[in-house]
Structure formats: C-alpha cells, structure tokens
Amino acid sequence: MRVARTLLLLGILNVNAVCLASSARAALTTEASALGPATITLDSQTGLRWLDVTLATPYSYDALRAELGAVGIFAGYRLATYDEVLQFWQDAGINTDSLGAFTTQNFTPISNLMGFVGITGLGTGNRDNVHFFDYTAGHIESGVGLGNWVEVATIAADPYTFFDGRPDFGAVPSDNDNDEHGAWLVVSRPPASIVSVDTSFGTDTGTLDTNTGLLWLDVTLSTPYSYDQLQPELAPGGVFEGYRMATMEEVLTLWSDAGIDTAALNEFVPQNFQPIVDLMLYVGVTGAATGNRDGVHFFDFTEGHTAEVENGWVNVLGLAADPYAFLDGRADLASVPTNNVNPEHGSWLVAVPPATVQSVLLELSGEIADLHQDALTRQLEAKVQQVLKHWEAGQVAAAKAQLSTLIQQLRGPQGRRLPASVAAELIALAEQAIQLMGT
C-alpha cells in the first residue's frame, strides 16, 4: 500500500531529464518510479506521466484491470484513453494523420518514443513474411472487458529495411494473453486539494484536504476497534489523542473533494471507480477483495465509523471499488451496533492541524493546480515546488527569496491575468509561508 501510494502522490522518486530530440511539440523526460529507474515518461505538454508499456506485457486486458485496483501491482495508475494516447504520440512528433500506414516521416519520432516507453516486439512485426519491424503495442481504456473486444494502440518502426514508421489502433479479445502486448498506463491522481502527509503514526499516514483544512488519519489504523472501544483512545493519553470522529457530512465533503459522485450513494457506478481507487490509496483499504457482490464477484472496500450514534447504532461510511470484473465504484452509508468488532471496519478520524510551512505551501500548490492550466500557472507551480525543495533542504533564505519572487510576479502584469481575488489569495498564502519560516 505505501509503495503504491508514494508512487501515486509523487509520480516520481527522482528525475533524470532526457529531452526528446525531434520535431516534437513537447519535451519528454524520464523519471524513476517504484517499479524501476527511468520507467516513467513525462509529457510536459499535457502533464501526464506514462509508465513503460513493457512493464504490463504479461497481462491480458482483463488481468491488467484487476491489478489497477487499490491493492494491485499497478495501483495509482489507470489506462489511458484513445485521445490521450493520440495526443501523446503527437507531442512526440508522430504524424497521426497517417494511422495504419508506414511513412518515412514517422520513422524517427516513433523510434525515439520507443526509446522512452520500451519495445514489446523486437523484430517480430511481420510486413510480408520477408521484412520485419519493431513495435510497441499496449491496451488502452476500453471499458469492461469480460471477453469483449478491446482496443490496442501500437507504434511500429522498421530499422531493418525501409526505415519507416506506423502508428495504428487495433482490437483483441479482452482475455487475450500476448507477451508482446503491454498497456498505455498513466499516473492517476485525485484532485490537487487532496495531499498525503506524515503523522506521528508514520510516513504517508495522513491525508490533508486543503479545501477544508482537515487532516484525515488512515482508516486502516483504527481497524482493531469497535466504536465503543475507540472512544477512550480519543481522550488525552489515548492512542488517537488529538483526533476526533468525523461527522457524516465531513466524510461526504472529503469524498466530494476527491472527485467522488456522492449523489450516487449505495450503488455501483462506473464514474466512481477511479476516484474511489485514488482515495483508497491515501486512506487505506480495510477489506481487500473481500466485499461480496453476488457470491461470484468481489470488490475492495474501506469502511469506517463516523460520529453519528442513535439507539446503540453508529453510522459506517464506506468506499468500494471493483477492479476484478465490472470496473465500478460505490460510496455507501450503513450502520452497525456500537460494540460491533470487525477487523475490516476502521473509523474516519480527523484533526485540524496547526499551520506549518509545508501545509501552507501544499495549500498554495493545490490552489494553483486547481486553476486553468497554462504557461503562467505551470510556472507558478514550478516555483512553489522549488520553494518546497529549498525548505526541506534547510535552505530558508533561498525558499524565502523564491516566494518573494512569486509574490512580485503575482502583483505584476502576469498576475493581473488572474482574477484579483485569486491573486490576492495566492499572495496571502505565500506571505503566510514566509512568516512561518521565521527570521
């Protein structure tokens, strides 16, 4: 859980910038992930981070989808859509007007992109039983598989004879096992207002919702306790001193801030699959593949008590995601006796943390990320990330200087491109961070 969550939150573990030297519209750079060095390709044009296609080659589409759940090998990733793959290819300089055809102009950009995302078929593509080519083939988002046909996106390059390249899309059965078919996977993230933080319980054990200022403790940390058993542990000297039970309204707000459709309570709906998986990676999974739909199909879930109690029964709010068959998610509300002990039920515990330099900078970063993304907002976000790096390295003067530059930028002509109230809010957060840094 923690490895996958770190990957989701940071997208990278370190960066090794390698620019694509071609006619591409955007620079592509490699980054390391928890799955290995240089296994992520960042497209600076879209901000999407692409996992090497070759890493998913052992899996059929159906088998792969099961590994995209919150406890799967590829937790924190999702399958890219047709349009996202097409845009990625275009950003790499590939002419997608010639889908399905080999052209000499596509040889170099396709060969270059293969250098980033890997080659799934080396010299095994067959043109005419005489001439062969290299290719990279991967599944893309095609909805529920279950034996249906699903799309495969492929780039091919012939370095042996004709020195040309071909981008194309095809289809295979969803249960088709092909060692030369991987997947086009991108890092999936919840909205920028949802941030992972450390607590006294350990690394990445808290989730800060910068929209509300509430700090949420991982639900999995309180699974040994019934509601009644938990109450003494919230008091001074208890295990969870400083936290309290969240209300149902607060939990629903967290879910909504994480992109979950709370209007569809107590029913599995496709639009809730990815946002629920993403939030589970932050707050933990209390039941892995133990949720039972019909005695045949199962799902992952996270269940936690809330503050509401009536006649000896306490509310339990839960998230469920089915990566194994139907690829849908459910946000639900139920109740259990307050003395009910269930190792797969935790509690939604919150605290209001005091403002710190890091929390203010994370809030500033989240506010910028929520704005319309253009050259200005990307530049501002890069500045905030640089401030965070300076601060974490103990370079207080450099962090302050960078924040002062950001404030000047927001007060200048560029900042006037933003709504005045937005610019004022960003300036206030930057000034608060400077104040917290001290002298």
Side-chain angles (χ1 to χ4, degrees):
M1 277 298 298
R2 288 294 153 249
V3 171
R5 179 170 171 185
T6 301
L7 177 61
L8 170 67
L9 294 171
L10 302 179
I12 60 172
L13 300 180
N14 58 50
V15 178
N16 177 25
V18 182
C19 292
L20 180 67
S22 72
S23 58
R25 295 193 302 143
L28 303 185
T29 56
T30 60
E31 302 173 348
S33 77
L35 298 175
T39 50
I40 293 282
T41 299
L42 169 64
D43 179 354
S44 64
Q45 186 73 19
T46 61
L48 289 177
R49 287 178 161 85
W50 297 79
L51 187 66
D52 282 8
V53 178
T54 52
L55 292 175
T57 48
Y59 300 92
S60 69
Y61 180 89
D62 287 339
L64 177 74
R65 290 308 303 242
E67 298 298 340
L68 293 175
V71 295
I73 293 172
F74 299 111
Y77 294 92
R78 62 173 175 81
L79 280 159
T81 65
Y82 176 99
D83 289 339
E84 287 171 335
V85 172
L86 203 64
Q87 185 65 59
F88 184 38
W89 290 354
Q90 292 168 356
D91 291 346
I94 298 170
N95 179 3
T96 57
D97 292 335
S98 58
L99 287 176
F102 276 97
T103 61
T104 54
Q105 73 181 109
N106 270 338
F107 174 71
T108 297
I110 285 179
S111 297
N112 286 339
L113 184 56
M114 284 177 165
F116 281 81
V117 301
I119 298 173
T120 61
L122 185 62
T124 55
N126 191 340
R127 293 182 80 138
D128 53 15
N129 292 326
V130 177
H131 302 100
F132 298 88
F133 55 86
D134 303 330
Y135 66 88
T136 301
H139 303 292
I140 64 174
E141 176 56 57
S142 302
V144 176
L146 301 180
N148 296 313
W149 286 71
V150 294
E151 288 188 285
V152 174
T154 305
I155 49 176
D158 176 1
Y160 309 106
T161 308
F162 299 106
F163 301 98
D164 49 12
R166 182 191 70 192
D168 65 12
F169 290 86
V172 298
S174 65
D175 56 359
N176 179 66
D177 289 316
N178 189 326
D179 289 342
E180 295 183 343
H181 284 183
W184 297 91
L185 298 175
V186 292
V187 174
S188 181
R189 301 174 185 273
S193 60
I194 306 298
V195 181
S196 181
V197 295
D198 300 341
T199 75
S200 59
F201 290 89
T203 303
D204 287 338
T205 51
T207 299
L208 177 66
D209 182 350
T210 60
N211 286 343
T212 62
L214 290 178
L215 170 64
W216 297 80
L217 191 64
D218 281 7
V219 179
T220 49
L221 292 173
S222 53
T223 50
Y225 301 91
S226 70
Y227 173 88
D228 289 341
Q229 291 170 338
L230 184 67
Q231 300 316 298
E233 302 300 339
L234 298 173
V239 174
F240 301 107
E241 179 182 357
Y243 292 88
R244 62 172 174 79
M245 303 292 297
T247 66
M248 180 175 70
E249 182 179 356
E250 288 170 333
V251 174
L252 291 175
T253 298
L254 171 67
W255 292 356
S256 180
D257 288 347
I260 297 168
D261 180 6
T262 57
L265 284 177
N266 296 323
E267 59 178 317
F268 278 96
V269 292
Q271 70 265 27
N272 272 343
F273 173 74
Q274 196 61 54
I276 284 178
V277 168
D278 290 344
L279 186 57
M280 281 178 163
L281 285 168
Y282 281 64
V283 300
V285 176
T286 61
T290 54
N292 190 340
R293 292 183 80 137
D294 52 16
V296 178
H297 301 102
F298 300 87
F299 55 86
D300 305 326
F301 63 85
T302 300
E303 296 280 352
H305 309 110
T306 63
E308 291 79 13
V309 175
E310 184 175 354
N311 297 325
W313 288 71
V314 59
N315 280 349
V316 175
L317 268 67
L319 300 172
D322 175 5
Y324 309 107
F326 298 107
L327 314 178
D328 48 14
R330 183 186 70 192
D332 58 53
L333 168 64
S335 61
V336 296
T338 58
N339 62 357
N340 180 69
V341 177
N342 187 327
E344 294 182 328
H345 284 185
S347 289
W348 296 94
L349 300 179
V350 293
V352 180
T356 64
V357 171
Q358 185 183 40
S359 68
V360 172
L361 290 176
L362 289 172
E363 183 177 357
L364 177 59
S365 176
E367 292 292 337
I368 294 170
D370 285 341
L371 298 174
H372 172 71
Q373 292 300 295
D374 57 19
L376 173 60
T377 54
R378 283 193 289 270
Q379 188 180 48
L380 294 174
E381 173 61 16
K383 275 192 171 65
V384 176
Q385 294 305 315
Q386 194 60 47
V387 172
L388 272 166
K389 289 179 181 177
H390 286 316
W391 176 252
E392 290 168 356
Q395 300 164 347
V396 179
K400 284 185 173 181
Q402 194 81 320
L403 278 173
S404 297
T405 302
L406 184 144
I407 291 170
Q408 292 172 4
Q409 188 173 4
L410 288 169
R411 285 176 172 159
Q414 285 184 303
R416 286 193 283 274
R417 290 164 46 191
L418 299 172
S421 59
V422 172
E425 183 178 1
L426 298 180
I427 290 170
L429 287 170
E431 289 177 336
Q432 182 184 6
I434 290 175
Q435 185 177 14
L436 288 170
M437 288 178 182
T439 56

Short mmCIF file of all heavy atoms in Angstrom, two decimals, residues 255-301:
data_model
loop_
_atom_site.label_atom_id
_atom_site.label_comp_id
_atom_site.label_asym_id
_atom_site.label_seq_id
_atom_site.Cartn_x
_atom_site.Cartn_y
_atom_site.Cartn_z
N TRP A 255 -15.07 13.04 0.34
CA TRP A 255 -15.30 12.25 -0.87
C TRP A 255 -15.56 13.14 -2.07
O TRP A 255 -15.01 12.92 -3.15
CB TRP A 255 -16.50 11.31 -0.65
CG TRP A 255 -16.25 10.22 0.34
CD1 TRP A 255 -15.07 9.94 1.00
CD2 TRP A 255 -17.20 9.25 0.81
NE1 TRP A 255 -15.23 8.86 1.84
CE2 TRP A 255 -16.52 8.42 1.74
CE3 TRP A 255 -18.53 9.02 0.54
CZ2 TRP A 255 -17.17 7.36 2.39
CZ3 TRP A 255 -19.18 7.96 1.18
CH2 TRP A 255 -18.50 7.14 2.09
N SER A 256 -16.39 14.15 -1.87
CA SER A 256 -16.69 15.06 -2.98
C SER A 256 -15.44 15.81 -3.44
O SER A 256 -15.20 15.96 -4.65
CB SER A 256 -17.78 16.05 -2.54
OG SER A 256 -18.09 16.95 -3.58
N ASP A 257 -14.63 16.25 -2.48
CA ASP A 257 -13.39 16.96 -2.82
C ASP A 257 -12.42 16.03 -3.56
O ASP A 257 -11.56 16.50 -4.32
CB ASP A 257 -12.72 17.50 -1.55
CG ASP A 257 -13.47 18.69 -0.96
OD1 ASP A 257 -14.35 19.23 -1.65
OD2 ASP A 257 -13.18 19.07 0.19
N ALA A 258 -12.55 14.72 -3.35
CA ALA A 258 -11.70 13.74 -4.04
C ALA A 258 -12.26 13.34 -5.39
O ALA A 258 -11.70 12.46 -6.05
CB ALA A 258 -11.51 12.51 -3.16
N GLY A 259 -13.37 13.94 -5.79
CA GLY A 259 -13.93 13.68 -7.12
C GLY A 259 -14.97 12.58 -7.16
O GLY A 259 -15.39 12.15 -8.25
N ILE A 260 -15.42 12.12 -6.00
CA ILE A 260 -16.41 11.03 -5.94
C ILE A 260 -17.82 11.61 -6.05
O ILE A 260 -18.14 12.62 -5.41
CB ILE A 260 -16.25 10.24 -4.62
CG1 ILE A 260 -14.87 9.58 -4.59
CG2 ILE A 260 -17.35 9.21 -4.46
CD1 ILE A 260 -14.50 9.02 -3.23
N ASP A 261 -18.65 10.99 -6.85
CA ASP A 261 -20.03 11.41 -7.02
C ASP A 261 -20.85 10.90 -5.85
O ASP A 261 -21.24 9.73 -5.80
CB ASP A 261 -20.58 10.86 -8.35
CG ASP A 261 -22.03 11.25 -8.59
OD1 ASP A 261 -22.58 12.04 -7.79
OD2 ASP A 261 -22.61 10.77 -9.58
N THR A 262 -21.13 11.78 -4.88
CA THR A 262 -21.85 11.37 -3.68
C THR A 262 -23.37 11.40 -3.88
O THR A 262 -24.12 11.06 -2.97
CB THR A 262 -21.47 12.28 -2.50
OG1 THR A 262 -21.73 13.64 -2.83
CG2 THR A 262 -20.01 12.13 -2.15
N ALA A 263 -23.81 11.80 -5.08
CA ALA A 263 -25.24 11.74 -5.37
C ALA A 263 -25.68 10.31 -5.66
O ALA A 263 -26.87 10.01 -5.68
CB ALA A 263 -25.58 12.64 -6.55
N ALA A 264 -24.69 9.44 -5.90
CA ALA A 264 -24.99 8.04 -6.25
C ALA A 264 -24.67 7.11 -5.09
O ALA A 264 -24.03 6.08 -5.27
CB ALA A 264 -24.20 7.64 -7.49
N LEU A 265 -25.13 7.47 -3.88
CA LEU A 265 -24.84 6.65 -2.71
C LEU A 265 -25.48 5.27 -2.83
O LEU A 265 -26.59 5.12 -3.35
CB LEU A 265 -25.33 7.34 -1.44
CG LEU A 265 -24.50 8.51 -0.90
CD1 LEU A 265 -25.18 9.12 0.31
CD2 LEU A 265 -23.09 8.05 -0.55
N ASN A 266 -24.76 4.27 -2.31
CA ASN A 266 -25.25 2.90 -2.19
C ASN A 266 -25.50 2.20 -3.52
O ASN A 266 -26.25 1.23 -3.58
CB ASN A 266 -26.53 2.86 -1.33
CG ASN A 266 -26.28 3.29 0.09
OD1 ASN A 266 -25.23 3.00 0.66
ND2 ASN A 266 -27.21 4.04 0.67
N GLU A 267 -24.84 2.67 -4.59
CA GLU A 267 -24.94 1.94 -5.85
C GLU A 267 -23.59 2.00 -6.56
O GLU A 267 -22.87 2.99 -6.49
CB GLU A 267 -26.03 2.51 -6.75
CG GLU A 267 -25.87 3.98 -7.12
CD GLU A 267 -26.98 4.47 -8.05
OE1 GLU A 267 -27.31 3.72 -9.00
OE2 GLU A 267 -27.48 5.58 -7.83
N PHE A 268 -23.24 0.90 -7.21
CA PHE A 268 -22.03 0.85 -8.00
C PHE A 268 -22.25 1.60 -9.32
O PHE A 268 -23.21 1.30 -10.04
CB PHE A 268 -21.63 -0.60 -8.30
CG PHE A 268 -20.89 -1.28 -7.18
CD1 PHE A 268 -21.56 -2.08 -6.28
CD2 PHE A 268 -19.51 -1.13 -7.04
CE1 PHE A 268 -20.88 -2.71 -5.25
CE2 PHE A 268 -18.82 -1.75 -6.01
CZ PHE A 268 -19.51 -2.55 -5.12
N VAL A 269 -21.38 2.57 -9.59
CA VAL A 269 -21.48 3.33 -10.84
C VAL A 269 -20.08 3.46 -11.44
O VAL A 269 -19.09 3.59 -10.71
CB VAL A 269 -22.10 4.73 -10.62
CG1 VAL A 269 -23.56 4.63 -10.24
CG2 VAL A 269 -21.33 5.50 -9.55
N PRO A 270 -19.96 3.41 -12.76
CA PRO A 270 -18.64 3.46 -13.40
C PRO A 270 -17.84 4.71 -13.07
O PRO A 270 -16.62 4.66 -12.91
CB PRO A 270 -18.96 3.37 -14.89
CG PRO A 270 -20.31 2.73 -14.96
CD PRO A 270 -21.03 3.20 -13.75
N GLN A 271 -18.53 5.88 -12.99
CA GLN A 271 -17.79 7.13 -12.80
C GLN A 271 -17.09 7.22 -11.45
O GLN A 271 -16.21 8.05 -11.24
CB GLN A 271 -18.71 8.34 -12.99
CG GLN A 271 -19.76 8.54 -11.90
CD GLN A 271 -21.09 7.93 -12.25
OE1 GLN A 271 -21.13 6.96 -13.01
NE2 GLN A 271 -22.17 8.47 -11.71
N ASN A 272 -17.46 6.36 -10.52
CA ASN A 272 -16.83 6.41 -9.19
C ASN A 272 -15.68 5.43 -9.03
O ASN A 272 -15.02 5.43 -7.98
CB ASN A 272 -17.88 6.15 -8.10
CG ASN A 272 -18.57 7.43 -7.65
OD1 ASN A 272 -18.07 8.53 -7.90
ND2 ASN A 272 -19.71 7.29 -7.00
N PHE A 273 -15.40 4.62 -10.04
CA PHE A 273 -14.33 3.64 -9.88
C PHE A 273 -12.98 4.31 -9.63
O PHE A 273 -12.33 4.07 -8.60
CB PHE A 273 -14.24 2.72 -11.10
CG PHE A 273 -13.04 1.80 -11.06
CD1 PHE A 273 -13.02 0.71 -10.22
CD2 PHE A 273 -11.92 2.04 -11.84
CE1 PHE A 273 -11.92 -0.14 -10.16
CE2 PHE A 273 -10.81 1.21 -11.80
CZ PHE A 273 -10.81 0.11 -10.95
N GLN A 274 -12.53 5.15 -10.56
CA GLN A 274 -11.18 5.71 -10.44
C GLN A 274 -11.02 6.66 -9.26
O GLN A 274 -10.05 6.55 -8.50
CB GLN A 274 -10.77 6.42 -11.74
CG GLN A 274 -9.27 6.69 -11.82
CD GLN A 274 -8.46 5.41 -11.79
OE1 GLN A 274 -8.68 4.49 -12.59
NE2 GLN A 274 -7.52 5.31 -10.87
N PRO A 275 -11.96 7.60 -9.01
CA PRO A 275 -11.76 8.46 -7.83
C PRO A 275 -11.77 7.71 -6.51
O PRO A 275 -11.06 8.08 -5.58
CB PRO A 275 -12.91 9.48 -7.92
CG PRO A 275 -13.88 8.91 -8.89
CD PRO A 275 -13.11 8.04 -9.82
N ILE A 276 -12.56 6.63 -6.43
CA ILE A 276 -12.56 5.84 -5.19
C ILE A 276 -11.25 5.09 -5.03
O ILE A 276 -10.66 5.05 -3.94
CB ILE A 276 -13.77 4.89 -5.15
CG1 ILE A 276 -15.03 5.69 -4.82
CG2 ILE A 276 -13.56 3.77 -4.14
CD1 ILE A 276 -16.31 4.88 -4.79
N VAL A 277 -10.75 4.49 -6.11
CA VAL A 277 -9.45 3.82 -6.04
C VAL A 277 -8.37 4.80 -5.62
O VAL A 277 -7.52 4.51 -4.76
CB VAL A 277 -9.09 3.17 -7.39
CG1 VAL A 277 -7.63 2.73 -7.40
CG2 VAL A 277 -9.99 1.97 -7.66
N ASP A 278 -8.39 6.01 -6.21
CA ASP A 278 -7.37 7.01 -5.89
C ASP A 278 -7.42 7.40 -4.41
O ASP A 278 -6.38 7.53 -3.76
CB ASP A 278 -7.56 8.25 -6.76
CG ASP A 278 -7.20 8.00 -8.22
OD1 ASP A 278 -6.53 6.99 -8.50
OD2 ASP A 278 -7.59 8.81 -9.08
N LEU A 279 -8.62 7.59 -3.86
CA LEU A 279 -8.72 7.97 -2.44
C LEU A 279 -8.34 6.81 -1.54
O LEU A 279 -7.73 7.00 -0.48
CB LEU A 279 -10.13 8.47 -2.12
CG LEU A 279 -10.30 9.03 -0.70
CD1 LEU A 279 -9.32 10.17 -0.42
CD2 LEU A 279 -11.73 9.49 -0.46
N MET A 280 -8.68 5.58 -1.94
CA MET A 280 -8.28 4.41 -1.15
C MET A 280 -6.76 4.33 -1.00
O MET A 280 -6.24 3.91 0.04
CB MET A 280 -8.77 3.12 -1.82
CG MET A 280 -10.23 2.79 -1.60
SD MET A 280 -10.65 1.28 -2.53
CE MET A 280 -12.19 0.83 -1.75
N LEU A 281 -6.04 4.75 -2.04
CA LEU A 281 -4.58 4.73 -1.96
C LEU A 281 -4.06 5.69 -0.90
O LEU A 281 -2.95 5.54 -0.40
CB LEU A 281 -3.98 5.09 -3.32
CG LEU A 281 -4.05 3.97 -4.37
CD1 LEU A 281 -3.70 4.51 -5.73
CD2 LEU A 281 -3.12 2.83 -3.99
N TYR A 282 -4.86 6.67 -0.54
CA TYR A 282 -4.48 7.62 0.50
C TYR A 282 -4.91 7.16 1.89
O TYR A 282 -4.13 7.22 2.84
CB TYR A 282 -5.11 8.99 0.20
CG TYR A 282 -4.37 9.78 -0.86
CD1 TYR A 282 -4.27 9.32 -2.16
CD2 TYR A 282 -3.76 10.99 -0.55
CE1 TYR A 282 -3.59 10.04 -3.13
CE2 TYR A 282 -3.09 11.72 -1.51
CZ TYR A 282 -3.00 11.24 -2.80
OH TYR A 282 -2.32 11.94 -3.77
N VAL A 283 -6.15 6.70 2.03
CA VAL A 283 -6.68 6.41 3.37
C VAL A 283 -6.60 4.93 3.73
O VAL A 283 -6.89 4.55 4.86
CB VAL A 283 -8.14 6.89 3.51
CG1 VAL A 283 -8.22 8.39 3.28
CG2 VAL A 283 -9.07 6.15 2.56
N GLY A 284 -6.21 4.07 2.77
CA GLY A 284 -6.05 2.65 3.04
C GLY A 284 -7.26 1.82 2.62
O GLY A 284 -8.35 2.34 2.37
N VAL A 285 -7.05 0.53 2.55
CA VAL A 285 -8.10 -0.45 2.19
C VAL A 285 -8.31 -1.37 3.38
O VAL A 285 -7.37 -2.03 3.83
CB VAL A 285 -7.67 -1.27 0.95
CG1 VAL A 285 -8.72 -2.34 0.63
CG2 VAL A 285 -7.45 -0.37 -0.26
N THR A 286 -9.51 -1.40 3.90
CA THR A 286 -9.76 -2.24 5.08
C THR A 286 -10.18 -3.66 4.70
O THR A 286 -10.04 -4.59 5.49
CB THR A 286 -10.84 -1.62 5.98
OG1 THR A 286 -12.07 -1.50 5.24
CG2 THR A 286 -10.40 -0.24 6.47
N GLY A 287 -10.70 -3.83 3.48
CA GLY A 287 -11.08 -5.15 3.01
C GLY A 287 -10.62 -5.36 1.58
O GLY A 287 -11.15 -4.73 0.66
N ALA A 288 -9.62 -6.21 1.37
CA ALA A 288 -9.05 -6.44 0.03
C ALA A 288 -9.71 -7.66 -0.60
O ALA A 288 -9.51 -8.79 -0.15
CB ALA A 288 -7.54 -6.64 0.11
N ALA A 289 -10.53 -7.39 -1.63
CA ALA A 289 -11.22 -8.44 -2.40
C ALA A 289 -12.13 -9.29 -1.53
O ALA A 289 -12.43 -10.43 -1.85
CB ALA A 289 -10.22 -9.33 -3.13
N THR A 290 -12.60 -8.73 -0.41
CA THR A 290 -13.48 -9.49 0.48
C THR A 290 -14.92 -8.97 0.44
O THR A 290 -15.80 -9.54 1.10
CB THR A 290 -12.96 -9.46 1.92
OG1 THR A 290 -12.78 -8.10 2.33
CG2 THR A 290 -11.64 -10.19 2.03
N GLY A 291 -15.16 -7.88 -0.28
CA GLY A 291 -16.53 -7.45 -0.48
C GLY A 291 -17.22 -8.38 -1.46
O GLY A 291 -16.65 -8.76 -2.47
N ASN A 292 -18.46 -8.75 -1.15
CA ASN A 292 -19.16 -9.79 -1.91
C ASN A 292 -20.37 -9.18 -2.62
O ASN A 292 -21.30 -8.69 -1.99
CB ASN A 292 -19.60 -10.90 -0.97
CG ASN A 292 -20.11 -12.11 -1.69
OD1 ASN A 292 -20.49 -12.05 -2.86
ND2 ASN A 292 -20.13 -13.24 -0.99
N ARG A 293 -20.35 -9.20 -3.97
CA ARG A 293 -21.46 -8.66 -4.74
C ARG A 293 -22.60 -9.66 -4.88
O ARG A 293 -23.77 -9.33 -4.72
CB ARG A 293 -21.00 -8.24 -6.14
CG ARG A 293 -20.06 -7.06 -6.16
CD ARG A 293 -19.68 -6.65 -7.57
NE ARG A 293 -20.71 -5.86 -8.20
CZ ARG A 293 -20.48 -4.77 -8.93
NH1 ARG A 293 -19.25 -4.33 -9.11
NH2 ARG A 293 -21.47 -4.12 -9.48
N ASP A 294 -22.24 -10.92 -5.23
CA ASP A 294 -23.28 -11.90 -5.54
C ASP A 294 -22.81 -13.32 -5.30
O ASP A 294 -23.38 -14.27 -5.85
CB ASP A 294 -23.71 -11.74 -7.00
CG ASP A 294 -22.52 -11.76 -7.96
OD1 ASP A 294 -21.42 -12.19 -7.54
OD2 ASP A 294 -22.68 -11.33 -9.12
N GLY A 295 -21.75 -13.49 -4.51
CA GLY A 295 -21.20 -14.81 -4.28
C GLY A 295 -20.22 -15.26 -5.34
O GLY A 295 -19.55 -16.28 -5.17
N VAL A 296 -20.11 -14.45 -6.40
CA VAL A 296 -19.21 -14.78 -7.51
C VAL A 296 -18.20 -13.65 -7.74
O VAL A 296 -17.03 -13.89 -7.99
CB VAL A 296 -20.00 -15.05 -8.81
CG1 VAL A 296 -19.05 -15.34 -9.96
CG2 VAL A 296 -20.97 -16.19 -8.61
N HIS A 297 -18.69 -12.42 -7.64
CA HIS A 297 -17.85 -11.26 -7.91
C HIS A 297 -17.56 -10.51 -6.61
O HIS A 297 -18.44 -10.34 -5.76
CB HIS A 297 -18.55 -10.33 -8.90
CG HIS A 297 -18.85 -10.99 -10.21
ND1 HIS A 297 -20.11 -11.44 -10.53
CD2 HIS A 297 -18.05 -11.29 -11.26
CE1 HIS A 297 -20.08 -12.00 -11.74
NE2 HIS A 297 -18.85 -11.92 -12.20
N PHE A 298 -16.31 -10.04 -6.46
CA PHE A 298 -15.86 -9.44 -5.22
C PHE A 298 -15.25 -8.06 -5.47
O PHE A 298 -14.98 -7.69 -6.61
CB PHE A 298 -14.86 -10.37 -4.53
CG PHE A 298 -15.46 -11.72 -4.21
CD1 PHE A 298 -15.46 -12.76 -5.14
CD2 PHE A 298 -16.05 -11.93 -2.98
CE1 PHE A 298 -16.02 -13.99 -4.84
CE2 PHE A 298 -16.62 -13.17 -2.66
CZ PHE A 298 -16.61 -14.19 -3.60
N PHE A 299 -15.04 -7.31 -4.40
CA PHE A 299 -14.51 -5.96 -4.53
C PHE A 299 -13.69 -5.59 -3.30
O PHE A 299 -13.78 -6.23 -2.25
CB PHE A 299 -15.64 -4.95 -4.74
CG PHE A 299 -16.73 -4.97 -3.68
CD1 PHE A 299 -16.59 -4.23 -2.51
CD2 PHE A 299 -17.89 -5.72 -3.87
CE1 PHE A 299 -17.59 -4.24 -1.54
CE2 PHE A 299 -18.89 -5.75 -2.90
CZ PHE A 299 -18.74 -5.00 -1.74
N ASP A 300 -12.86 -4.54 -3.45
CA ASP A 300 -12.11 -3.96 -2.34
C ASP A 300 -12.98 -2.90 -1.66
O ASP A 300 -13.82 -2.27 -2.31
CB ASP A 300 -10.83 -3.30 -2.84
CG ASP A 300 -9.95 -4.23 -3.66
OD1 ASP A 300 -9.93 -5.44 -3.35
OD2 ASP A 300 -9.28 -3.75 -4.60
N PHE A 301 -12.74 -2.67 -0.37
CA PHE A 301 -13.52 -1.62 0.29
C PHE A 301 -12.75 -1.00 1.45
O PHE A 301 -11.80 -1.58 1.98
CB PHE A 301 -14.88 -2.15 0.77
CG PHE A 301 -14.82 -3.22 1.81
CD1 PHE A 301 -14.71 -2.90 3.16
CD2 PHE A 301 -14.91 -4.56 1.45
CE1 PHE A 301 -14.68 -3.89 4.13
CE2 PHE A 301 -14.86 -5.56 2.41
CZ PHE A 301 -14.75 -5.23 3.75
#
